[in-house]
Amino acid sequence: MTTADDLRTEGPVAANDTDSPRVVLFGAPSTGKSALLGALAQSEPVPLTLIDSSGRAVQEYLDGQRSLDDRAPLASAVDNADALVLTVDSAAPKQFEEIVQQYKEFLQSVEQRRSRRSDVAGLPVFMVLTKCDLLARAGDTAANWIKRVDENERNLRSRFPEFLDQGHEAFGTIDLRLGAVAIKQPALSDRPSHPSEPYGVAELFREVASSARLFHEQCHRAGHSLHVAVMSLLGMIAVTALAVLGFFAMRPSAEVASLENSIRAVLATPESSAALRLREPLAPRLKELIKIQENASFTSLPPPLQDAVRQAIREMTAYQGLAKKVDELKRVRFLKNEDEVQKVSREIDNVVLPPEFASQWGDTRLSRKIAQYKRELAALARALAGEQDWLKKQIAEGETLLNMAIPGAGSPERQAWINRADVFLRRKDPSKQVPDIPNMKLRDLYEFPTVNGPREDYEVVRSRVARIRGGLANSS
Ligand SMILES: Nc1nc2c(ncn2[C@@H]2O[C@H](COP(=O)(O)OP(=O)(O)OP(=O)(O)O)[C@@H](O)[C@H]2O)c(=O)[nH]1
Ligand SMILES: [Mg+2]
């Protein structure tokens, strides 16, 4: 393991071990990066390059004074990292909101940058609450303290839903995890202080090390298969050129060579997954391939390469057509009546993956969108049926209450009637979220005639019960 720490120069000092996974500690000034690194370094030795950064330099990126595009040592360390550790000082609650906002923007810019460059997906990012020993209060037991640490961690987690959401687009994105550490343990009422015993550091280190290693291998493999594909393509081109043009024409013409270059830039390697071949943004790559196909020299390319271009155009065109159909569907949360539900149900059923590609498109964004849409439609049907059922029961209950003879004042039977009426009169919160349909509220369901009809009946019964109940309250 190598550690490097230079607080005075800007950014990190990278270790020269280039083949081991690289972990960058990144965080605002005095958030405990160097202390954490010191504690990590005492864990069991693992071939890992740990890169500390200067909080002052980090702050310039967080403040937007500098951009990750600037190729400075810190920016390129972030670009080449196999894992990032972002530190949040749990002992500085005043800066918490600001740090959360700045880290959010930073993660977004890392994410955008990675997807722009088509980097390997799933860069592990650990957001770590540091100095957790300082969260302990006088008289705390160990259990109290740990509960407080967990609460802080949960609070931090709740601030980053967009990075923790499972349905998040997988390509080029980051994989955010949370942790909490302290370089020493606090004095607790049921345990003396352990100034030399860190908290959560070994666990964090193990997780960072294993995910960085995994990510490093993935990058290596992606680079390797690209290399193999380019080499075999070049080999193929050379053989074809030799065969067709003869010995003296071994080099393809300049025009053909530049066409091959453009193809290589746009076309994914043959063995790459459909998710990679069809990643967004798709339109510019498709346009480029069509332009290549229309080029006068296209037919001079080796036939297998021509086929690869034609096949890619066919796949992308089919994909784009279906994706457009799905995007044009009215969102489930905006549906207002059963006719609309039936219409979109028919439409989504008409979005059928072409048999030629169906088996490969399973992990694409399009397949996930289709599945999500169908899940939301099913959730809507459940929610509507549930609401209708509830209203039916309420109407029956209201009628039962209205048909009962009101027992004499002061009797326990009358009190029982009042209690039952009060339960009946309780309203649902219309801003309640409909399960499994993001952003759809109960009040949106009320717009469906099949719910609104029974709701009107319910309101009539309800107001009659309310009137009687009101009279009783006044007289008792
Ligand atoms: N109590 C406590 N103090 C800590 C802990 N970690 C760091 N500190 C203290 O917090 C201060 C800042 O820690 P550093 O590790 O230097 O922070 P840094 O992020 O490296 O700071 P810069 O390099 O300046 O950006 C120091 O006084 C540390 O002793 C911890 O777990 N518990
Ligand atoms: Mg430091």
Side-chain angles (χ1 to χ4, degrees):
M1 175 164 52
T2 323
T3 61
D5 181 6
D6 187 340
L7 304 179
R8 271 150 291 279
T9 65
E10 98 84 33
V13 177
N16 43 16
D17 182 359
T18 52
D19 225 30
S20 66
R22 299 156 68 87
V23 177
V24 177
L25 281 99
F26 189 95
S30 294
T31 46
K33 297 178 291 298
S34 303
L36 175 59
L37 190 133
L40 287 176
Q42 280 165 23
S43 302
E44 57 208 281
V46 167
L48 204 61
T49 305
L50 291 168
I51 300 168
D52 193 5
S53 55
S54 131
R56 197 180 33 75
V58 166
Q59 194 61 54
E60 292 177 359
Y61 289 89
L62 295 178
D63 288 342
Q65 291 166 34
R66 308 187 57 170
S67 134
L68 287 174
D69 292 324
D70 70 6
R71 291 162 182 270
L74 178 52
S76 56
V78 170
D79 267 351
N80 296 323
D82 295 303
L84 292 178
V85 175
L86 262 52
T87 45
V88 180
D89 186 347
S90 62
K94 285 212 191 85
Q95 292 151 24
F96 183 75
E97 294 300 334
E98 195 186 342
I99 291 266
V100 162
Q101 192 50 36
Q102 290 184 330
Y103 279 6
K104 218 178 241 277
E105 284 164 21
F106 171 73
L107 288 178
Q108 276 157 1
S109 71
V110 169
E111 201 162 51
Q112 275 165 14
R113 190 170 165 72
R114 297 187 64 80
S115 72
R116 203 167 60 229
R117 304 191 318 168
S118 306
D119 284 348
V120 170
L123 172 72
V125 177
F126 292 82
M127 194 167 301
V128 179
L129 269 175
T130 57
K131 312 187 194 176
C132 284
D133 54 312
L134 299 177
L135 289 174
R137 294 193 197 146
D140 261 358
T141 60
N144 285 345
W145 171 57
I146 288 173
K147 203 168 131 217
R148 202 162 305 161
V149 172
D150 286 347
E151 265 163 26
N152 276 266
E153 191 183 321
R154 253 199 312 279
N155 179 27
L156 186 61
R157 179 181 300 275
S158 73
R159 302 309 181 93
F160 294 88
E162 66 271 52
F163 296 100
L164 294 157
D165 175 7
Q166 295 284 318
H168 205 60
E169 188 45 40
F171 190 79
T173 56
I174 58 177
D175 176 6
L176 184 66
R177 299 162 207 197
L178 273 83
V181 296
I183 56 166
K184 58 181 182 219
Q185 300 212 10
L188 298 159
S189 64
D190 55 352
R191 224 172 50 186
S193 154
H194 289 271
S196 61
E197 198 181 305
Y199 170 80
V201 172
E203 292 83 348
L204 174 72
F205 185 59
R206 268 198 297 279
E207 239 202 286
V208 168
S210 76
S211 49
R213 200 173 323 121
L214 206 68
F215 187 78
H216 187 70
E217 282 163 11
Q218 271 167 11
C219 293
H220 184 73
R221 234 178 288 134
H224 179 71
S225 60
L226 188 68
H227 180 75
V228 168
V230 168
M231 291 318 279
S232 64
L233 199 65
L234 287 177
M236 202 168 69
I237 292 164
V239 169
T240 314
L242 261 176
V244 174
L245 302 171
F247 181 71
F248 51 87
M250 248 179 74
R251 283 171 56 85
S253 76
E255 180 71 356
V256 171
S258 99
L259 210 54
E260 283 160 9
N261 272 333
S262 329
I263 293 173
R264 234 172 292 139
V266 181
L267 217 54
T269 63
E271 71 268 34
S272 58
S273 68
L276 194 64
R277 295 199 301 271
L278 298 165
R279 68 185 185 274
E280 294 297 335
L282 185 69
R285 289 202 310 282
L286 178 56
K287 217 168 117 192
E288 180 68 25
L289 284 175
I290 291 174
K291 222 172 82 194
I292 288 168
Q293 196 185 23
E294 286 167 352
N295 188 301
S297 305
F298 181 74
T299 48
S300 312
L301 289 170
L305 194 54
Q306 293 182 35
D307 284 347
V309 170
R310 284 194 204 98
Q311 171 70 5
I313 290 177
R314 212 168 37 245
E315 183 179 43
M316 287 180 176
T317 308
Y319 184 90
Q320 206 178 38
L322 284 185
K324 186 158 171 278
K325 270 193 185 175
V326 174
D327 286 340
E328 282 170 0
L329 287 175
K330 193 165 188 176
R331 302 290 98 193
V332 171
R333 69 172 185 277
F334 295 139
L335 298 175
K336 295 283 178 256
N337 59 56
E338 314 292 337
D339 286 349
E340 286 186 336
V341 172
Q342 282 185 6
K343 181 161 173 283
V344 295
S345 304
R346 270 195 310 273
E347 286 169 350
I348 191 77
D349 284 341
N350 280 335
V351 180
V352 179
L353 304 188
E356 183 188 356
F357 302 119
S359 64
Q360 300 171 36
W361 284 6
D363 66 339
T364 57
R365 186 188 178 137
L366 173 63
S367 292
R368 284 199 299 275
K369 266 194 185 170
I370 295 173
Q372 169 72 16
Y373 197 88
K374 290 182 174 170
R375 271 198 302 275
E376 288 186 16
L377 275 180
L380 177 61
R382 277 197 306 275
L384 287 170
E387 193 57 26
Q388 286 159 2
D389 197 46
W390 185 81
L391 287 167
K392 216 166 104 190
K393 284 198 189 117
Q394 287 298 97
I395 292 168
E397 169 70 357
E399 277 163 358
T400 306
L401 284 165
L402 290 173
N403 287 334
M404 282 165 74
I406 305 295
S411 68
E413 289 80 8
R414 177 179 287 215
Q415 192 53 48
W417 190 93
I418 290 177
N419 293 347
R420 189 166 163 181
D422 286 347
V423 171
F424 167 77
L425 289 170
R426 247 179 246 152
R427 282 196 182 278
K428 281 193 178 183
D429 174 7
S431 65
K432 212 176 125 206
Q433 173 70 39
V434 175
D436 303 322
I437 310 178
N439 294 325
M440 190 168 199
K441 307 280 188 252
L442 203 50
R443 74 165 75 83
D444 299 321
L445 292 183
Y446 296 163
E447 301 199 26
F448 279 74
T450 49
V451 171
N452 198 24
R455 237 180 99 71
E456 281 172 6
D457 298 342
Y458 159 71
E459 286 299 338
V460 170
V461 177
R462 189 184 179 285
S463 68
R464 285 171 60 202
V465 174
R467 250 193 328 272
I468 298 177
R469 166 68 183 91
L472 292 183
N474 292 340
S475 67
S476 62

